[in-house]
Amino acid sequence: MPGSDYYKILGVARTAKTEDIKKAYRRLARRHHPDVNPGNKEAEEQFKQISEAFEVLSDPKKREVYDRYGYYSEQAAAAGATGGFDFSNFGAANFKDIFSEIFSSIRGQGQAGRAHPSRGSDIEYPIALTFEEAMRESTVRIEVDRSETCQSCRGTGQSGDATATCPLCQGSGQRSSIIGSSTRCANCNGSGKVPGQCSTCRGAGNVPKREGISVKIPAGVDTGSRIRVPAKGHAGTHGGGAGDLYIVTRVGEHAYFKRQGDNIYCTVPVTVPEAALGAKIEVPTVDGKALLRVPPGTQSGQKFRLRERGAPSLRAGGARGDQFVEVRITLPKIISEETKELLQKFARYNQENPRAEMGLE
């Protein structure tokens, strides 16, 4: 290409080192290679120009001739320069090595979407449970929109009967190399044809499906618990396994139970006589009612433990947390003059000052 500025084509300075020329060529070749730009004549022409520029500037002997005469030809080299076109003289910037490196990279890009097994994606399905439902084992029936392997093409996305023109060689069966020779197209094995698209899945390899699935919910789930259902996510492609289905639970609040980990907390009111004299009272648990002994002199806010009356543990098979009951003393209501007199009489006989420790009357 007499008259062309090879340095300008590669975007490097005339003082550029061989390694800089190599980097510039690698970057431009990847951008304009015909495999990356099928059918793009402008990109094909640019690729030829940068290949020619690199062929000359990467060879110190050819570069010397080009710098002296402003172009390179075998005649110019014979007239005043030395050396012909020899890949072995390229040294660190070996044109053959770089071409192999770039072409293998581009080939990898072109084949990235081919028949490599790919696992299907997972599906998350949220469900809402009441507090009581979360405390016991149950089975729920859900409808999941997922994908399954196309039976027509067995997940390949291709039709065994129809064919299409190979997109890389445009049906010629041949590929042009940088040095002008032709080789058999590896994509279609020289036939110029590739398998056509499956009409059922339109090349996707899988088809949508709504499926009813029964899921066992273990006792003790909490908000954010994840139950895995293997292989019930989206189908894989090209023989890849299906993803998993994850049931994500959201547990509603309870009127008087609060959960922390596997322990359950609740507050139960007691009367003044029950707290002062002691009593056996009924308290709620997730399993129903239970008896709690309130000892004499119990103070408001005092907590009592009911062992293994908490939530079933998901981490330890069969184990359960505890339930903690906090008592809250409620004041008696003045419902009659007689009640009022009894309280006044109690105050005269029990002149205890609970604020004395604070130095208060």
Side-chain angles (χ1 to χ4, degrees), residues 33-35 38 103 107 110-111 114 164-177 181-195:
H33 197 282
D35 283 354
F103 189 73
R107 184 187 296 118
Q111 296 178 347
R114 296 187 188 175
T165 301
C166 175
L168 296 187
C169 68
Q170 302 297 316
S172 68
Q174 299 292 316
R175 300 297 307 282
S176 297
S177 66
S181 62
S182 296
T183 59
R184 184 174 62 180
C185 177
N187 189 53
C188 63
N189 200 26
S191 68
K193 297 290 184 180
V194 293

Side-chain angles (χ1 to χ4, degrees), residues 12 18 48 67 76 94 100 118 120 132 144 175 186 218 253 257 267 285 291 338 343 346 349:
V12 297
T18 303
K48 289 180 180 179
D67 289 343
N94 190 308
S100 176
S118 178
E132 291 83 359
V144 178
R175 300 297 307 282
E253 294 186 356
F257 288 135
T267 300
T285 72
L291 283 178
E338 184 179 5
L343 288 175
F346 177 81
Y349 284 100

Side-chain angles (χ1 to χ4, degrees), residues 74-75 85 88 124 134 161 192 202-203 248 259 269 344 358:
E74 295 296 336
Q75 291 79 7
F85 183 80
S88 64
E124 287 192 354
D161 300 326
R202 302 196 178 194
V248 184
R259 179 174 177 177
Q344 290 172 341
M358 302 173 68

Side-chain angles (χ1 to χ4, degrees), residues 23-100:
K23 290 179 180 179
Y25 173 72
R26 183 189 293 112
R27 174 174 52 82
L28 294 172
R30 283 175 175 158
R31 182 188 305 169
H32 299 292
H33 197 282
D35 283 354
V36 180
N37 304 273
N40 189 328
K41 297 298 183 181
E42 182 179 350
E44 183 178 348
E45 181 62 29
Q46 288 179 313
F47 182 73
K48 289 180 180 179
Q49 292 180 15
I50 61 177
S51 298
E52 181 177 327
F54 177 73
E55 179 182 326
V56 172
L57 297 185
S58 61
D59 183 342
K61 296 179 180 179
K62 291 186 177 184
R63 183 177 180 180
E64 182 182 351
V65 174
Y66 176 79
D67 289 343
R68 180 178 300 176
Y69 298 106
Y71 69 94
Y72 175 82
S73 68
E74 295 296 336
Q75 291 79 7
T82 59
F85 183 80
D86 183 359
F87 282 122
S88 64
N89 293 331
F90 286 6
N94 190 308
F95 177 74
K96 184 166 58 177
D97 290 344
I98 296 179
F99 169 71
S100 176

Side-chain angles (χ1 to χ4, degrees), residues 5-310:
D5 188 337
Y6 289 158
Y7 292 101
K8 186 176 181 180
I9 291 174
L10 293 180
V12 297
R14 289 187 170 272
T15 56
K17 297 180 179 179
T18 303
E19 186 62 28
D20 295 329
I21 294 173
K22 176 181 176 181
K23 290 179 180 179
Y25 173 72
R26 183 189 293 112
R27 174 174 52 82
L28 294 172
R30 283 175 175 158
R31 182 188 305 169
H32 299 292
H33 197 282
D35 283 354
V36 180
N37 304 273
N40 189 328
K41 297 298 183 181
E42 182 179 350
E44 183 178 348
E45 181 62 29
Q46 288 179 313
F47 182 73
K48 289 180 180 179
Q49 292 180 15
I50 61 177
S51 298
E52 181 177 327
F54 177 73
E55 179 182 326
V56 172
L57 297 185
S58 61
D59 183 342
K61 296 179 180 179
K62 291 186 177 184
R63 183 177 180 180
E64 182 182 351
V65 174
Y66 176 79
D67 289 343
R68 180 178 300 176
Y69 298 106
Y71 69 94
Y72 175 82
S73 68
E74 295 296 336
Q75 291 79 7
T82 59
F85 183 80
D86 183 359
F87 282 122
S88 64
N89 293 331
F90 286 6
N94 190 308
F95 177 74
K96 184 166 58 177
D97 290 344
I98 296 179
F99 169 71
S100 176
E101 173 188 337
I102 294 174
F103 189 73
S104 63
S105 173
I106 294 172
R107 184 187 296 118
Q109 295 173 10
Q111 296 178 347
R114 296 187 188 175
H116 298 292
S118 178
R119 180 181 180 275
S121 58
D122 297 331
I123 297 175
E124 287 192 354
Y125 189 100
I127 63 170
L129 301 172
T130 65
F131 191 92
E132 291 83 359
E133 288 173 336
M135 292 299 106
R136 60 178 183 268
E137 184 179 288
S138 61
T139 300
V140 297
R141 182 78 176 174
I142 60 175
E143 296 286 328
V144 178
D145 291 320
R146 55 185 299 268
S147 62
E148 67 174 4
T149 300
C150 177
Q151 297 303 309
S152 298
C153 64
R154 297 186 179 181
T156 64
Q158 300 176 343
S159 171
D161 300 326
T163 59
T165 301
C166 175
L168 296 187
C169 68
Q170 302 297 316
S172 68
Q174 299 292 316
R175 300 297 307 282
S176 297
S177 66
I178 290 176
I179 60 177
S181 62
S182 296
T183 59
R184 184 174 62 180
C185 177
N187 189 53
C188 63
N189 200 26
S191 68
K193 297 290 184 180
V194 293
Q197 191 180 84
C198 173
S199 59
T200 302
C201 65
R202 302 196 178 194
N206 49 55
V207 292
K209 177 183 180 181
R210 170 163 287 194
E211 182 176 356
I213 301 174
S214 294
V215 181
K216 184 178 181 180
I217 307 296
V221 294
D222 202 354
T223 295
S225 295
R226 293 162 61 88
I227 299 98
R228 175 175 173 264
V229 185
K232 287 299 181 180
H234 291 299
T237 56
H238 304 298
D244 297 328
L245 169 66
Y246 287 91
I247 306 300
V248 184
T249 57
R250 185 178 71 254
V251 179
E253 294 186 356
H254 195 273
Y256 38 82
F257 288 135
K258 298 293 182 183
R259 179 174 177 177
Q260 295 182 14
D262 293 333
N263 295 328
I264 292 177
Y265 297 80
C266 71
T267 300
V268 176
V270 295
T271 65
V272 171
E274 287 172 337
L277 303 176
K280 286 185 178 180
I281 63 172
E282 285 187 340
V283 296
T285 72
V286 294
D287 301 317
K289 298 176 181 178
L291 283 178
L292 174 67
R293 180 180 175 274
V294 178
T298 294
Q299 300 295 315
S300 189
Q302 193 167 337
K303 292 180 181 179
F304 300 91
R305 173 185 287 184
L306 299 178
R307 295 187 181 276
E308 297 186 352
R309 288 299 189 101

